[in-house]
Amino acid sequence: MSGEGRPGRQRESTTHCPYCALQCSTVLSGERGGVAVRPSADFPVNRGGLCQKGWTAPSVLAVPDRLLTPLVRGADGVLAPAGWDEALDLVAGRLRELRARHGADAVAVFGGGGLTNEKAYALGKFARVALGTSQIDYNGRFCMSSAAAATTAAFGLDRGLPFPVTDLDGADVILLAGANPAETMPPLLRHLEDADLVVVDPRRTRTAERAALHLSPAPGTDLALALGLLHLAVTEGLVDKEYVDARTTGFDAAWETCAAWWPERVEEVTGVPADDLRTAVRLLGGARRAYVLTGRGAEQHSKGSDTVAAFVNLALALGLPGREGSGFGTLTGQGNGQGGREMGQKADQLPGYRSLADPADRAHVAAVWGVDPRALPGPGRSAYELLDALGGDGGPRALMVFGSNPVVSAPRAAHVTERLKALDLLVVADFVPSETAALADVVLPVAQWAEEEGTLTSLEGRVLRRRAHLTPPPGVRTDLEVLHALAVRLGQDAGRFPVRPREVFDELRRASAGARADYSGVSYARLDAGEALYWPCPAGGDGAAHPGTPRLFLDRFAHPDGRARFASVDHRPSAREPDGTFPLYGTTGRVLAQYQSGAQTRRVPELVEAAPETVVEMHPDTARRFGLADGQTAEVGSVHGATLARVRLTRTVRPDTVFVPFHFPGAGRANLFTGDALDPRSRMPEFKVSAVRVTPAGERP
């Protein structure tokens, strides 16, 4: 929607917020330096509401340190302005040289869950066709990978919410495991107001304060808690046996494991009272409409896939998934966390959730791309493993980064920073000088959210249109233009990498046709006409327009037999438990006023005023035990490294646990103390639990 060209009327553009996966609809007005935002009143997800980040999003469009020209690091080690041809020629030349010397996998690509569908698709194609490398992954591996692994195994398909957000309005009970939407996606609370909430979180978060019941397990014990809840569902006669028999397989094997997790044993491991476990199961089992939802708190563990699987087991036993008015879902984090993992920038996937290991999938995508299927590389390293291998023997010698800031967001951040420094070539495309861009050999200035066209896919699987309100500043190019220019310099035909988002989307539709995430029936024209289209949305063979699929699994699950799978999983300790040297649990997460690595939000004055620095939240009893005072600067250390943070005393956190937000740079990076243990299935790092000690800054034992 635009008022451009209408005399006497200010131009307006309807688009979506650049932050979380709710993708709240917004209306932008005004010109550069004075863009105003208001929420769209008729979009069902935010219903006229925005969070603090959404209201201040236009501020990022005019930050004083906006990147406006390419930067190239000279012989003196300083980044200096350069022309586009100089920068692109340099990058392409170095890439050719490194590939010739070390092979195609000497060059790697790292993407992001905030990229539009078109950019994520083009990035995966660029890596595999123009570069010929298998070494591509993205920061969504740090976000949704455990949930994706578990739900794909259970249901045959991974869509964060397999139902519209508005379905939650009618819920009687909702269990939130490791999710704090009151701070991470506040507009979602409008859909939770009428439900009794059961919140699983080591901290008494703003979401937990609204709950009918708060379960506060020790970090890393969510899996034991989920097993205990299923145990109680069985022993209290709350299992929907008719549903289990008709629509699932594997219940007996799952029960064989959780039979050993009686409530008192769960209490001993988690610290959650057995009576509270019983109350939680009775609330869920007695509800007419109930949902089980997981978030990063349950998923960012070395056993995150199994933890999500255990909560899926609970939902299946109660007969919730695939039933209108009830269900299981996961709350996707990044703005295009859903679409970003479907479009081929993940190490093992091609567009539409097609598999690099499947000959038929490879043949389909290769035909769309006009290449020999045998020329496509196989699966590559996962995100952390890719970063860990940079500059080492057998590892990539060059890395191209689009839409990510791993210096802040990756685990073992100091180690990852050193690996980035060991590269022969680091290229970063961004619109602000992020901490990762500061290390680059070449920085390419690209357009940001209000300056580009495209699509994103929200946490509910709805495909949304991003519309440009401004033209990019002079000297700035789009990511698609950058990829096109580099591909041509690397010998690709110019038509193979289009720069118009609509053309890329039309190609994406063909690449995804017939796949699990089928976008072939979605078009810009239908989206611009206001249709609400949820994938899968195949192209109609008879010419009729497919309406999309807002609710999955109502008739059958996506496995060949139509049944969902219970998983046989068991609890195990985290990679490193507290001990005499590191006696506390350290956990990380988000706060309301900041977002992800903070590269955008730390440039907004109102958000910086609300959350200016790294803090370590701890119980007053814990502070007394370790000789710390409110407001004091402390060091939060683990075997991997230490973070400097200001002490904030609060009774909302367990006495055995400290909490540090991960949005801040430098010595305040929370990921300086997180480790490199990975989930064996999803390759998710264990962000949510570290063994730490907290001491006054400068005073180590």
PDB file of all heavy atoms in Angstrom, residues 580-584 616 618 622-623 625-629 631-638 641-647 658 692-701:
ATOM      1  N   GLY A 580      33.143 -27.639  42.271  1.00  0.00           N
ATOM      2  CA  GLY A 580      33.759 -26.814  43.299  1.00  0.00           C
ATOM      3  C   GLY A 580      34.437 -25.570  42.755  1.00  0.00           C
ATOM      4  O   GLY A 580      34.508 -24.537  43.434  1.00  0.00           O
ATOM      5  N   THR A 581      34.938 -25.649  41.525  1.00  0.00           N
ATOM      6  CA  THR A 581      35.610 -24.497  40.925  1.00  0.00           C
ATOM      7  C   THR A 581      34.624 -23.547  40.252  1.00  0.00           C
ATOM      8  O   THR A 581      34.753 -22.320  40.347  1.00  0.00           O
ATOM      9  CB  THR A 581      36.650 -24.975  39.893  1.00  0.00           C
ATOM     10  OG1 THR A 581      37.557 -25.879  40.518  1.00  0.00           O
ATOM     11  CG2 THR A 581      37.423 -23.797  39.323  1.00  0.00           C
ATOM     12  N   PHE A 582      33.656 -24.115  39.582  1.00  0.00           N
ATOM     13  CA  PHE A 582      32.623 -23.329  38.899  1.00  0.00           C
ATOM     14  C   PHE A 582      31.272 -23.771  39.466  1.00  0.00           C
ATOM     15  O   PHE A 582      30.612 -24.656  38.922  1.00  0.00           O
ATOM     16  CB  PHE A 582      32.693 -23.546  37.386  1.00  0.00           C
ATOM     17  CG  PHE A 582      34.005 -23.126  36.784  1.00  0.00           C
ATOM     18  CD1 PHE A 582      34.999 -24.065  36.507  1.00  0.00           C
ATOM     19  CD2 PHE A 582      34.266 -21.790  36.509  1.00  0.00           C
ATOM     20  CE1 PHE A 582      36.209 -23.675  35.958  1.00  0.00           C
ATOM     21  CE2 PHE A 582      35.477 -21.396  35.956  1.00  0.00           C
ATOM     22  CZ  PHE A 582      36.461 -22.336  35.688  1.00  0.00           C
ATOM     23  N   PRO A 583      30.844 -23.158  40.572  1.00  0.00           N
ATOM     24  CA  PRO A 583      29.747 -23.714  41.371  1.00  0.00           C
ATOM     25  C   PRO A 583      28.341 -23.316  40.941  1.00  0.00           C
ATOM     26  O   PRO A 583      27.366 -23.799  41.532  1.00  0.00           O
ATOM     27  CB  PRO A 583      30.034 -23.150  42.763  1.00  0.00           C
ATOM     28  CG  PRO A 583      30.710 -21.842  42.505  1.00  0.00           C
ATOM     29  CD  PRO A 583      31.524 -22.043  41.259  1.00  0.00           C
ATOM     30  N   LEU A 584      28.196 -22.451  39.940  1.00  0.00           N
ATOM     31  CA  LEU A 584      26.886 -21.935  39.574  1.00  0.00           C
ATOM     32  C   LEU A 584      26.520 -22.317  38.138  1.00  0.00           C
ATOM     33  O   LEU A 584      27.391 -22.549  37.296  1.00  0.00           O
ATOM     34  CB  LEU A 584      26.859 -20.406  39.697  1.00  0.00           C
ATOM     35  CG  LEU A 584      27.103 -19.823  41.083  1.00  0.00           C
ATOM     36  CD1 LEU A 584      27.298 -18.314  40.995  1.00  0.00           C
ATOM     37  CD2 LEU A 584      25.941 -20.160  42.009  1.00  0.00           C
ATOM     38  N   VAL A 616      24.631  -9.132  35.163  1.00  0.00           N
ATOM     39  CA  VAL A 616      24.502 -10.507  35.626  1.00  0.00           C
ATOM     40  C   VAL A 616      23.460 -10.504  36.735  1.00  0.00           C
ATOM     41  O   VAL A 616      23.658  -9.900  37.796  1.00  0.00           O
ATOM     42  CB  VAL A 616      25.845 -11.109  36.092  1.00  0.00           C
ATOM     43  CG1 VAL A 616      26.557 -10.234  37.109  1.00  0.00           C
ATOM     44  CG2 VAL A 616      25.630 -12.525  36.636  1.00  0.00           C
ATOM     45  N   MET A 618      21.492 -12.070  39.686  1.00  0.00           N
ATOM     46  CA  MET A 618      21.714 -13.123  40.668  1.00  0.00           C
ATOM     47  C   MET A 618      20.880 -12.874  41.912  1.00  0.00           C
ATOM     48  O   MET A 618      20.497 -11.738  42.214  1.00  0.00           O
ATOM     49  CB  MET A 618      23.200 -13.242  41.035  1.00  0.00           C
ATOM     50  CG  MET A 618      23.797 -12.026  41.740  1.00  0.00           C
ATOM     51  SD  MET A 618      25.499 -12.340  42.289  1.00  0.00           S
ATOM     52  CE  MET A 618      26.295 -12.728  40.764  1.00  0.00           C
ATOM     53  N   THR A 622      22.984 -15.441  46.740  1.00  0.00           N
ATOM     54  CA  THR A 622      24.159 -15.821  45.954  1.00  0.00           C
ATOM     55  C   THR A 622      25.212 -14.724  46.011  1.00  0.00           C
ATOM     56  O   THR A 622      26.414 -14.999  46.156  1.00  0.00           O
ATOM     57  CB  THR A 622      23.745 -16.082  44.493  1.00  0.00           C
ATOM     58  OG1 THR A 622      22.648 -16.985  44.470  1.00  0.00           O
ATOM     59  CG2 THR A 622      24.895 -16.664  43.696  1.00  0.00           C
ATOM     60  N   ALA A 623      24.771 -13.496  45.908  1.00  0.00           N
ATOM     61  CA  ALA A 623      25.711 -12.375  45.971  1.00  0.00           C
ATOM     62  C   ALA A 623      26.438 -12.342  47.312  1.00  0.00           C
ATOM     63  O   ALA A 623      27.663 -12.138  47.362  1.00  0.00           O
ATOM     64  CB  ALA A 623      24.971 -11.067  45.733  1.00  0.00           C
ATOM     65  N   ARG A 625      26.985 -14.820  49.266  1.00  0.00           N
ATOM     66  CA  ARG A 625      27.859 -15.998  49.327  1.00  0.00           C
ATOM     67  C   ARG A 625      29.196 -15.732  48.649  1.00  0.00           C
ATOM     68  O   ARG A 625      30.245 -16.206  49.108  1.00  0.00           O
ATOM     69  CB  ARG A 625      27.147 -17.173  48.672  1.00  0.00           C
ATOM     70  CG  ARG A 625      27.953 -18.461  48.592  1.00  0.00           C
ATOM     71  CD  ARG A 625      27.132 -19.518  47.865  1.00  0.00           C
ATOM     72  NE  ARG A 625      27.921 -20.681  47.498  1.00  0.00           N
ATOM     73  CZ  ARG A 625      27.516 -21.625  46.650  1.00  0.00           C
ATOM     74  NH1 ARG A 625      26.311 -21.517  46.084  1.00  0.00           N
ATOM     75  NH2 ARG A 625      28.299 -22.654  46.365  1.00  0.00           N
ATOM     76  N   PHE A 626      29.171 -14.945  47.570  1.00  0.00           N
ATOM     77  CA  PHE A 626      30.395 -14.718  46.802  1.00  0.00           C
ATOM     78  C   PHE A 626      30.943 -13.304  46.960  1.00  0.00           C
ATOM     79  O   PHE A 626      31.812 -12.875  46.190  1.00  0.00           O
ATOM     80  CB  PHE A 626      30.150 -15.043  45.325  1.00  0.00           C
ATOM     81  CG  PHE A 626      29.872 -16.503  45.079  1.00  0.00           C
ATOM     82  CD1 PHE A 626      28.582 -16.971  44.889  1.00  0.00           C
ATOM     83  CD2 PHE A 626      30.911 -17.426  45.092  1.00  0.00           C
ATOM     84  CE1 PHE A 626      28.322 -18.316  44.692  1.00  0.00           C
ATOM     85  CE2 PHE A 626      30.670 -18.774  44.895  1.00  0.00           C
ATOM     86  CZ  PHE A 626      29.370 -19.231  44.702  1.00  0.00           C
ATOM     87  N   GLY A 627      30.458 -12.580  47.935  1.00  0.00           N
ATOM     88  CA  GLY A 627      31.013 -11.275  48.259  1.00  0.00           C
ATOM     89  C   GLY A 627      30.781 -10.214  47.208  1.00  0.00           C
ATOM     90  O   GLY A 627      31.664  -9.397  46.926  1.00  0.00           O
ATOM     91  N   LEU A 628      29.570 -10.192  46.637  1.00  0.00           N
ATOM     92  CA  LEU A 628      29.241  -9.254  45.573  1.00  0.00           C
ATOM     93  C   LEU A 628      28.108  -8.335  46.000  1.00  0.00           C
ATOM     94  O   LEU A 628      27.232  -8.722  46.788  1.00  0.00           O
ATOM     95  CB  LEU A 628      28.840 -10.014  44.304  1.00  0.00           C
ATOM     96  CG  LEU A 628      29.960 -10.859  43.675  1.00  0.00           C
ATOM     97  CD1 LEU A 628      29.381 -11.933  42.775  1.00  0.00           C
ATOM     98  CD2 LEU A 628      30.912  -9.966  42.902  1.00  0.00           C
ATOM     99  N   ALA A 629      28.102  -7.125  45.466  1.00  0.00           N
ATOM    100  CA  ALA A 629      27.086  -6.134  45.813  1.00  0.00           C
ATOM    101  C   ALA A 629      26.382  -5.648  44.555  1.00  0.00           C
ATOM    102  O   ALA A 629      26.944  -5.681  43.451  1.00  0.00           O
ATOM    103  CB  ALA A 629      27.735  -4.953  46.536  1.00  0.00           C
ATOM    104  N   GLY A 631      25.238  -3.529  41.623  1.00  0.00           N
ATOM    105  CA  GLY A 631      25.913  -2.478  40.883  1.00  0.00           C
ATOM    106  C   GLY A 631      27.402  -2.676  40.711  1.00  0.00           C
ATOM    107  O   GLY A 631      28.049  -1.939  39.948  1.00  0.00           O
ATOM    108  N   GLN A 632      27.954  -3.662  41.374  1.00  0.00           N
ATOM    109  CA  GLN A 632      29.395  -3.926  41.275  1.00  0.00           C
ATOM    110  C   GLN A 632      29.714  -4.603  39.944  1.00  0.00           C
ATOM    111  O   GLN A 632      28.918  -5.374  39.400  1.00  0.00           O
ATOM    112  CB  GLN A 632      29.809  -4.834  42.433  1.00  0.00           C
ATOM    113  CG  GLN A 632      31.280  -5.183  42.507  1.00  0.00           C
ATOM    114  CD  GLN A 632      31.589  -6.017  43.752  1.00  0.00           C
ATOM    115  OE1 GLN A 632      30.698  -6.352  44.525  1.00  0.00           O
ATOM    116  NE2 GLN A 632      32.851  -6.339  43.938  1.00  0.00           N
ATOM    117  N   THR A 633      30.890  -4.325  39.403  1.00  0.00           N
ATOM    118  CA  THR A 633      31.323  -5.023  38.199  1.00  0.00           C
ATOM    119  C   THR A 633      31.923  -6.372  38.591  1.00  0.00           C
ATOM    120  O   THR A 633      32.797  -6.449  39.452  1.00  0.00           O
ATOM    121  CB  THR A 633      32.366  -4.216  37.426  1.00  0.00           C
ATOM    122  OG1 THR A 633      31.799  -2.951  37.068  1.00  0.00           O
ATOM    123  CG2 THR A 633      32.787  -4.936  36.155  1.00  0.00           C
ATOM    124  N   ALA A 634      31.402  -7.425  37.953  1.00  0.00           N
ATOM    125  CA  ALA A 634      31.827  -8.783  38.283  1.00  0.00           C
ATOM    126  C   ALA A 634      32.317  -9.489  37.030  1.00  0.00           C
ATOM    127  O   ALA A 634      32.038  -9.083  35.895  1.00  0.00           O
ATOM    128  CB  ALA A 634      30.676  -9.567  38.898  1.00  0.00           C
ATOM    129  N   GLU A 635      33.033 -10.545  37.248  1.00  0.00           N
ATOM    130  CA  GLU A 635      33.507 -11.406  36.167  1.00  0.00           C
ATOM    131  C   GLU A 635      32.760 -12.731  36.261  1.00  0.00           C
ATOM    132  O   GLU A 635      32.782 -13.405  37.292  1.00  0.00           O
ATOM    133  CB  GLU A 635      35.004 -11.632  36.299  1.00  0.00           C
ATOM    134  CG  GLU A 635      35.594 -12.443  35.162  1.00  0.00           C
ATOM    135  CD  GLU A 635      37.104 -12.573  35.295  1.00  0.00           C
ATOM    136  OE1 GLU A 635      37.815 -11.699  34.774  1.00  0.00           O
ATOM    137  OE2 GLU A 635      37.545 -13.537  35.937  1.00  0.00           O
ATOM    138  N   VAL A 636      32.060 -13.079  35.173  1.00  0.00           N
ATOM    139  CA  VAL A 636      31.348 -14.356  35.080  1.00  0.00           C
ATOM    140  C   VAL A 636      32.226 -15.270  34.235  1.00  0.00           C
ATOM    141  O   VAL A 636      32.356 -15.076  33.021  1.00  0.00           O
ATOM    142  CB  VAL A 636      29.962 -14.185  34.441  1.00  0.00           C
ATOM    143  CG1 VAL A 636      29.205 -15.509  34.459  1.00  0.00           C
ATOM    144  CG2 VAL A 636      29.169 -13.099  35.151  1.00  0.00           C
ATOM    145  N   GLY A 637      32.872 -16.246  34.872  1.00  0.00           N
ATOM    146  CA  GLY A 637      33.867 -17.045  34.185  1.00  0.00           C
ATOM    147  C   GLY A 637      33.528 -18.516  34.133  1.00  0.00           C
ATOM    148  O   GLY A 637      32.894 -19.061  35.045  1.00  0.00           O
ATOM    149  N   SER A 638      33.959 -19.166  33.052  1.00  0.00           N
ATOM    150  CA  SER A 638      33.836 -20.614  32.891  1.00  0.00           C
ATOM    151  C   SER A 638      35.175 -21.133  32.387  1.00  0.00           C
ATOM    152  O   SER A 638      36.143 -20.380  32.257  1.00  0.00           O
ATOM    153  CB  SER A 638      32.738 -20.949  31.874  1.00  0.00           C
ATOM    154  OG  SER A 638      33.182 -20.665  30.554  1.00  0.00           O
ATOM    155  N   GLY A 641      36.063 -19.012  29.149  1.00  0.00           N
ATOM    156  CA  GLY A 641      36.376 -17.591  29.133  1.00  0.00           C
ATOM    157  C   GLY A 641      35.532 -16.859  30.157  1.00  0.00           C
ATOM    158  O   GLY A 641      34.780 -17.467  30.929  1.00  0.00           O
ATOM    159  N   ALA A 642      35.653 -15.527  30.168  1.00  0.00           N
ATOM    160  CA  ALA A 642      34.981 -14.732  31.192  1.00  0.00           C
ATOM    161  C   ALA A 642      34.352 -13.496  30.581  1.00  0.00           C
ATOM    162  O   ALA A 642      34.884 -12.892  29.636  1.00  0.00           O
ATOM    163  CB  ALA A 642      35.964 -14.334  32.289  1.00  0.00           C
ATOM    164  N   THR A 643      33.212 -13.101  31.145  1.00  0.00           N
ATOM    165  CA  THR A 643      32.444 -11.934  30.738  1.00  0.00           C
ATOM    166  C   THR A 643      32.416 -10.930  31.875  1.00  0.00           C
ATOM    167  O   THR A 643      32.236 -11.314  33.041  1.00  0.00           O
ATOM    168  CB  THR A 643      30.997 -12.354  30.396  1.00  0.00           C
ATOM    169  OG1 THR A 643      31.018 -13.308  29.339  1.00  0.00           O
ATOM    170  CG2 THR A 643      30.144 -11.157  30.008  1.00  0.00           C
ATOM    171  N   LEU A 644      32.563  -9.667  31.562  1.00  0.00           N
ATOM    172  CA  LEU A 644      32.417  -8.618  32.564  1.00  0.00           C
ATOM    173  C   LEU A 644      30.980  -8.110  32.543  1.00  0.00           C
ATOM    174  O   LEU A 644      30.436  -7.790  31.478  1.00  0.00           O
ATOM    175  CB  LEU A 644      33.380  -7.464  32.290  1.00  0.00           C
ATOM    176  CG  LEU A 644      34.870  -7.747  32.490  1.00  0.00           C
ATOM    177  CD1 LEU A 644      35.691  -6.499  32.176  1.00  0.00           C
ATOM    178  CD2 LEU A 644      35.144  -8.219  33.918  1.00  0.00           C
ATOM    179  N   ALA A 645      30.368  -8.020  33.725  1.00  0.00           N
ATOM    180  CA  ALA A 645      28.964  -7.625  33.807  1.00  0.00           C
ATOM    181  C   ALA A 645      28.703  -6.911  35.130  1.00  0.00           C
ATOM    182  O   ALA A 645      29.376  -7.171  36.133  1.00  0.00           O
ATOM    183  CB  ALA A 645      28.061  -8.855  33.693  1.00  0.00           C
ATOM    184  N   ARG A 646      27.698  -6.047  35.113  1.00  0.00           N
ATOM    185  CA  ARG A 646      27.314  -5.342  36.331  1.00  0.00           C
ATOM    186  C   ARG A 646      26.299  -6.175  37.104  1.00  0.00           C
ATOM    187  O   ARG A 646      25.322  -6.666  36.538  1.00  0.00           O
ATOM    188  CB  ARG A 646      26.732  -3.971  35.994  1.00  0.00           C
ATOM    189  CG  ARG A 646      26.625  -3.040  37.220  1.00  0.00           C
ATOM    190  CD  ARG A 646      26.250  -1.632  36.819  1.00  0.00           C
ATOM    191  NE  ARG A 646      27.208  -1.033  35.893  1.00  0.00           N
ATOM    192  CZ  ARG A 646      28.372  -0.510  36.259  1.00  0.00           C
ATOM    193  NH1 ARG A 646      28.744  -0.531  37.545  1.00  0.00           N
ATOM    194  NH2 ARG A 646      29.178   0.022  35.359  1.00  0.00           N
ATOM    195  N   VAL A 647      26.526  -6.348  38.387  1.00  0.00           N
ATOM    196  CA  VAL A 647      25.665  -7.183  39.223  1.00  0.00           C
ATOM    197  C   VAL A 647      24.293  -6.524  39.378  1.00  0.00           C
ATOM    198  O   VAL A 647      24.191  -5.324  39.682  1.00  0.00           O
ATOM    199  CB  VAL A 647      26.299  -7.414  40.606  1.00  0.00           C
ATOM    200  CG1 VAL A 647      25.322  -8.134  41.536  1.00  0.00           C
ATOM    201  CG2 VAL A 647      27.598  -8.203  40.469  1.00  0.00           C
ATOM    202  N   VAL A 658      22.824 -17.877  37.589  1.00  0.00           N
ATOM    203  CA  VAL A 658      22.948 -16.472  37.202  1.00  0.00           C
ATOM    204  C   VAL A 658      22.546 -16.347  35.734  1.00  0.00           C
ATOM    205  O   VAL A 658      22.721 -17.284  34.937  1.00  0.00           O
ATOM    206  CB  VAL A 658      24.370 -15.921  37.421  1.00  0.00           C
ATOM    207  CG1 VAL A 658      24.727 -15.962  38.896  1.00  0.00           C
ATOM    208  CG2 VAL A 658      25.402 -16.678  36.594  1.00  0.00           C
ATOM    209  N   VAL A 692      29.727 -21.884  35.878  1.00  0.00           N
ATOM    210  CA  VAL A 692      30.451 -20.611  36.005  1.00  0.00           C
ATOM    211  C   VAL A 692      30.746 -20.296  37.467  1.00  0.00           C
ATOM    212  O   VAL A 692      30.153 -20.862  38.396  1.00  0.00           O
ATOM    213  CB  VAL A 692      29.643 -19.441  35.397  1.00  0.00           C
ATOM    214  CG1 VAL A 692      29.341 -19.687  33.930  1.00  0.00           C
ATOM    215  CG2 VAL A 692      28.351 -19.184  36.173  1.00  0.00           C
ATOM    216  N   ARG A 693      31.669 -19.350  37.652  1.00  0.00           N
ATOM    217  CA  ARG A 693      31.871 -18.709  38.936  1.00  0.00           C
ATOM    218  C   ARG A 693      31.725 -17.203  38.708  1.00  0.00           C
ATOM    219  O   ARG A 693      32.005 -16.701  37.611  1.00  0.00           O
ATOM    220  CB  ARG A 693      33.236 -19.037  39.517  1.00  0.00           C
ATOM    221  CG  ARG A 693      34.405 -18.535  38.673  1.00  0.00           C
ATOM    222  CD  ARG A 693      35.730 -19.041  39.194  1.00  0.00           C
ATOM    223  NE  ARG A 693      36.831 -18.718  38.279  1.00  0.00           N
ATOM    224  CZ  ARG A 693      37.923 -19.444  38.158  1.00  0.00           C
ATOM    225  NH1 ARG A 693      38.084 -20.546  38.874  1.00  0.00           N
ATOM    226  NH2 ARG A 693      38.875 -19.078  37.318  1.00  0.00           N
ATOM    227  N   VAL A 694      31.298 -16.493  39.738  1.00  0.00           N
ATOM    228  CA  VAL A 694      31.149 -15.041  39.641  1.00  0.00           C
ATOM    229  C   VAL A 694      31.991 -14.417  40.743  1.00  0.00           C
ATOM    230  O   VAL A 694      31.796 -14.710  41.930  1.00  0.00           O
ATOM    231  CB  VAL A 694      29.679 -14.612  39.767  1.00  0.00           C
ATOM    232  CG1 VAL A 694      29.553 -13.108  39.520  1.00  0.00           C
ATOM    233  CG2 VAL A 694      28.801 -15.376  38.778  1.00  0.00           C
ATOM    234  N   THR A 695      32.928 -13.578  40.351  1.00  0.00           N
ATOM    235  CA  THR A 695      33.856 -12.952  41.295  1.00  0.00           C
ATOM    236  C   THR A 695      33.918 -11.457  41.018  1.00  0.00           C
ATOM    237  O   THR A 695      33.610 -11.009  39.909  1.00  0.00           O
ATOM    238  CB  THR A 695      35.271 -13.546  41.144  1.00  0.00           C
ATOM    239  OG1 THR A 695      35.703 -13.374  39.779  1.00  0.00           O
ATOM    240  CG2 THR A 695      35.280 -15.027  41.479  1.00  0.00           C
ATOM    241  N   PRO A 696      34.310 -10.651  41.997  1.00  0.00           N
ATOM    242  CA  PRO A 696      34.544  -9.232  41.716  1.00  0.00           C
ATOM    243  C   PRO A 696      35.547  -9.085  40.582  1.00  0.00           C
ATOM    244  O   PRO A 696      36.515  -9.852  40.484  1.00  0.00           O
ATOM    245  CB  PRO A 696      35.104  -8.699  43.039  1.00  0.00           C
ATOM    246  CG  PRO A 696      34.564  -9.630  44.071  1.00  0.00           C
ATOM    247  CD  PRO A 696      34.531 -10.979  43.418  1.00  0.00           C
ATOM    248  N   ALA A 697      35.305  -8.124  39.702  1.00  0.00           N
ATOM    249  CA  ALA A 697      36.183  -7.936  38.552  1.00  0.00           C
ATOM    250  C   ALA A 697      37.627  -7.769  38.997  1.00  0.00           C
ATOM    251  O   ALA A 697      37.929  -7.021  39.925  1.00  0.00           O
ATOM    252  CB  ALA A 697      35.748  -6.714  37.755  1.00  0.00           C
ATOM    253  N   GLY A 698      38.510  -8.535  38.354  1.00  0.00           N
ATOM    254  CA  GLY A 698      39.923  -8.448  38.683  1.00  0.00           C
ATOM    255  C   GLY A 698      40.364  -9.336  39.817  1.00  0.00           C
ATOM    256  O   GLY A 698      41.549  -9.373  40.158  1.00  0.00           O
ATOM    257  N   GLU A 699      39.422 -10.067  40.404  1.00  0.00           N
ATOM    258  CA  GLU A 699      39.778 -10.943  41.531  1.00  0.00           C
ATOM    259  C   GLU A 699      39.433 -12.381  41.188  1.00  0.00           C
ATOM    260  O   GLU A 699      38.328 -12.846  41.424  1.00  0.00           O
ATOM    261  CB  GLU A 699      39.020 -10.535  42.796  1.00  0.00           C
ATOM    262  CG  GLU A 699      39.352  -9.150  43.302  1.00  0.00           C
ATOM    263  CD  GLU A 699      38.598  -8.829  44.592  1.00  0.00           C
ATOM    264  OE1 GLU A 699      38.113  -9.778  45.251  1.00  0.00           O
ATOM    265  OE2 GLU A 699      38.472  -7.644  44.918  1.00  0.00           O
ATOM    266  N   ARG A 700      40.341 -13.095  40.612  1.00  0.00           N
ATOM    267  CA  ARG A 700      40.111 -14.512  40.320  1.00  0.00           C
ATOM    268  C   ARG A 700      40.701 -15.357  41.431  1.00  0.00           C
ATOM    269  O   ARG A 700      41.744 -15.018  41.987  1.00  0.00           O
ATOM    270  CB  ARG A 700      40.780 -14.903  38.999  1.00  0.00           C
ATOM    271  CG  ARG A 700      40.204 -14.184  37.794  1.00  0.00           C
ATOM    272  CD  ARG A 700      40.668 -14.852  36.520  1.00  0.00           C
ATOM    273  NE  ARG A 700      40.227 -14.099  35.345  1.00  0.00           N
ATOM    274  CZ  ARG A 700      40.363 -14.536  34.104  1.00  0.00           C
ATOM    275  NH1 ARG A 700      40.937 -15.707  33.888  1.00  0.00           N
ATOM    276  NH2 ARG A 700      39.953 -13.822  33.091  1.00  0.00           N
ATOM    277  N   PRO A 701      40.028 -16.479  41.756  1.00  0.00           N
ATOM    278  CA  PRO A 701      40.564 -17.379  42.785  1.00  0.00           C
ATOM    279  C   PRO A 701      41.922 -17.919  42.382  1.00  0.00           C
ATOM    280  O   PRO A 701      42.198 -18.119  41.212  1.00  0.00           O
ATOM    281  CB  PRO A 701      39.515 -18.500  42.847  1.00  0.00           C
ATOM    282  CG  PRO A 701      38.269 -17.929  42.261  1.00  0.00           C
ATOM    283  CD  PRO A 701      38.703 -16.914  41.241  1.00  0.00           C
TER     284      PRO A 701
END
